[in-house]
Every structure is written in structure tokens, then in C-alpha cells.
Amino acid sequence: MKRLRLLPIALVPAVVLGLAACSGSGSSDSSSTPSASSSATAAAITSCPDPGSASKAIKVSGAFGGSTAPEVKFSGGLTAKQPQASTVVRGKGASLGEGDYAQVSYSVYQASDAKKLGTVGFDQGNPQVLSVGGSGFGALLACSKVGDRIAAVGQSSALGFNTGGEIVVVADVVAQTPTKATGKAQKQDPALPTVEDKADGEPEITVPSGVKAPSKTTVEVLKQGTGDKIADGDTALVQYKGVVYDTGKEFDSSWSKGAPTTFTISEGSLIKGFVTGLVGQQVGSQVLIVVTPEDGYGANPQEGSGIPKNATLVFVVDILAKG
């Protein structure tokens, strides 16, 4: 029986091998692809790095946020005792702050010899969704605006990477990611559970009294987004809430946890009904999914989950970004 596996909101763990869960596939000049992290490490920066001679020595050319990684030039042996960051291109978009999420494309190089370690979001795939604020790369983003191109140099751990040694990072802050669905509201079917959003976007789900649950998994778009469609196997950043149909009792919620969650939209990771509800939907949408026991947990719900045996479940999912 497949479980609804919730991946942690450490969307961007400081890993070397492979990309974080909500990143694009990226490209690399080596077998290791570094990923940015907003999570704390012992030496991670917690405030805006100042520009300096090292960061100003990094020359960057090429289209902002383009499909080709920018050309980056600097002399090998670049070093900075404390992390430095220069804004190569000044954006005109929104300023980013603690608790925001941003889509970022970036390339990483060894400062010692200018060897390229990897690229995320430029050459292929999508920009990586990063949380803003805290320490590491998130602290640097908290000093930025949408549209900024940043060139940074410093110890990898201070910048939120675990490649080791000093590195150079060139990053384009492509967009801000919302924390709730932004699509156009659609008419709701009164025969299905109805949804009203609180001011912050958290859905309040009301199951219709005396109405029998659907006999098959049923999907209704509550807000129609206009972004990319979710395909089987994609990763997606979502907000979600799940309640039991018969009682209306909540059993799980990203809203209750205080942050969005990233999922791999695949029956290898999620229950069938959840995948059925999200595949083909567009980013920016809010989707209601009524999941039958056969497409959910059946007679074997996870112990301590709060889900009864053979329960029909109701999910409301806000699709924020795809990877």
C-alpha cells in the first residue's frame, strides 16, 4: 500500500550528489551537482554579505534567467576571508524577506581554479525554489529583489553549500513563489465538500451533511491557475490540508506545520488518489480531491495517522510551483 509520503520543507538541503526535491534536473560539468541551502550550518552567513574586491572581480554576461547559463569569468585563486556578494544586475521586482520563497537559477564554481561544479535552472529544468531568510543562501536572498543577478564568493558552508572550500556562485532571482493558490475562483459543486479560504489562504473544508461520499475518486478545480501543467513524475511545491470525509476531522496539513511541502507526483511516492488529483493540473490552481479508500489507505492506514480504516479522504491542494 502506497503511503502519502511528506517530504520535509528542507526543499534545498545542502547536498552534493543530485538536486534537491523541488529543483529542475539541472546540468553539470562534473558528476556532483551542488545545491543551495537556506538551512543553517555552523559557519553559515546570517546577514547580507557586503561587496568586495573578490566579488567585484567576477564578470558575468548573458541573458538574465535565460535558457543558457551566463558566461562567468574570474581568475583562479579568488578568495575572500568573509563572504562577499555583488549585485551584477539590479532587478525591479519585489524585495524578498523572511518567510518568502523565490525561484532561483544558479551556477557554482570552485574559487581556486574556476572549475564549474554545476548549474541549476539555466540550461534545462526549472529554477530551484528556495526559502528566503535564516542563514546560508537564504540570508543572501533576503537582501535581494526579484530580477537581481548576484555574484558571491566565500566558503561553501557559509553560503549554504557543502562542496567544501571556497566557491563562486552566480544566481538569478527569477521570481517570487506565492504561499497560496493565485488562480481564478471557480464555481463549487454543492454535492462535494465546499471550501472557503482564510485571509492567509488556508482552506476551511466543509463536508456536506447527509451526502454520501463519491464512489470513485473525484477531482474539482476550485481555483484555476495559468502556470505549467503537472506531469506524472514531476516534483511540486504545494500547500495542502487533508480531512476525513465522514467526520471532517483534519489528519494532516502543511498549513498546520507552518510551511509548504514538496512532493514527487508519482504513485511510487504518493497514494493513487493524490496523484490522480494533481496530474494535469496547472501551477497556481487550488484543487479539491475526494479520495476513495481504494485509492487511499484502505484497511491499512498508517498507525497514528488519525485516518480510520477504509476512510474516504478529502484533500485541498494549492499548487505553488513545479520542479
Side-chain angles (χ1 to χ4, degrees):
M1 176 63 63
K2 304 299 184 187
R3 302 299 183 195
L4 177 57
R5 182 165 59 90
L6 308 184
L7 303 183
I9 191 54
L11 300 181
V12 285
V15 297
V16 177
L17 298 177
L19 302 182
C22 207
S23 71
S25 55
S27 63
S28 176
D29 288 349
S30 69
S31 60
S32 298
T33 305
S35 291
S37 175
S38 56
S39 58
T41 62
I45 56 173
T46 56
S47 60
C48 302
D50 292 324
S53 58
S55 64
K56 291 177 181 178
I58 303 164
K59 305 302 180 185
V60 188
S61 60
F64 174 89
S67 58
T68 302
E71 184 177 2
V72 178
K73 293 183 178 180
F74 62 91
S75 298
L78 201 63
T79 187
K81 290 183 178 179
Q82 297 295 327
Q84 299 176 13
S86 295
T87 303
V88 180
V89 175
R90 294 198 176 276
K92 297 181 180 180
S95 296
L96 300 173
E98 189 87 24
D100 288 337
Y101 293 86
Q103 297 177 44
V104 184
S105 297
Y106 57 87
S107 296
V108 184
Y109 301 80
Q110 288 180 174
S112 60
D113 57 8
K115 179 182 178 181
K116 189 175 183 180
L117 298 175
T119 291
V120 171
F122 285 118
D123 297 326
Q124 59 180 324
N126 298 286
Q128 192 168 26
V129 178
L130 304 177
S131 56
V132 178
S135 58
F137 206 75
L140 192 154
L141 290 176
C143 316
S144 306
K145 290 184 176 181
V146 174
D148 280 358
R149 170 172 284 174
I150 303 160
V153 59
Q155 286 292 331
S156 63
S157 59
L159 293 174
F161 292 75
N162 68 353
T163 57
E166 288 186 280
I167 60 172
V168 166
V169 183
V170 172
D172 286 3
V173 185
V174 177
Q176 184 175 354
T177 298
T179 56
K180 61 182 180 181
T182 56
K184 183 178 180 180
Q186 307 293 298
K187 186 177 180 180
Q188 298 185 35
D189 183 349
L192 294 173
T194 55
V195 177
E196 290 188 10
D197 289 344
K198 299 178 182 178
D200 64 356
E202 180 180 1
E204 292 185 327
I205 304 170
T206 302
V207 179
S209 178
V211 178
K212 188 176 180 180
S215 59
K216 64 178 183 179
T217 293
T218 302
V219 181
E220 181 182 36
V221 177
L222 305 175
K223 296 179 184 177
Q224 181 60 63
T226 58
D228 292 340
K229 289 187 177 180
I230 301 296
D232 195 319
D234 281 343
T235 56
L237 180 71
V238 304
Q239 294 270 30
Y240 70 96
K241 179 180 281 190
V243 304
V244 177
Y245 187 96
D246 286 344
T247 64
K249 184 177 179 180
E250 178 185 313
F251 60 85
D252 200 3
S253 171
S254 66
W255 296 97
S256 296
K257 295 180 174 72
T261 297
T262 186
F263 291 117
T264 300
I265 311 303
S266 165
E267 287 187 43
S269 300
L270 303 169
I271 56 174
K272 181 178 180 180
F274 206 88
V275 176
T276 298
L278 294 189
V279 169
Q281 303 296 345
Q282 291 179 271
V283 172
S285 296
Q286 183 183 68
V287 182
L288 171 78
I289 316 169
V290 183
V291 179
T292 63
E294 294 77 16
D295 290 344
Y297 298 96
N300 300 294
Q302 189 172 2
E303 185 177 352
S305 65
I307 301 172
K309 292 182 179 180
N310 299 312
T312 296
L313 307 177
V314 181
F315 291 97
V316 173
V317 185
D318 287 15
I319 307 171
L320 307 178
K322 69 172 281 186

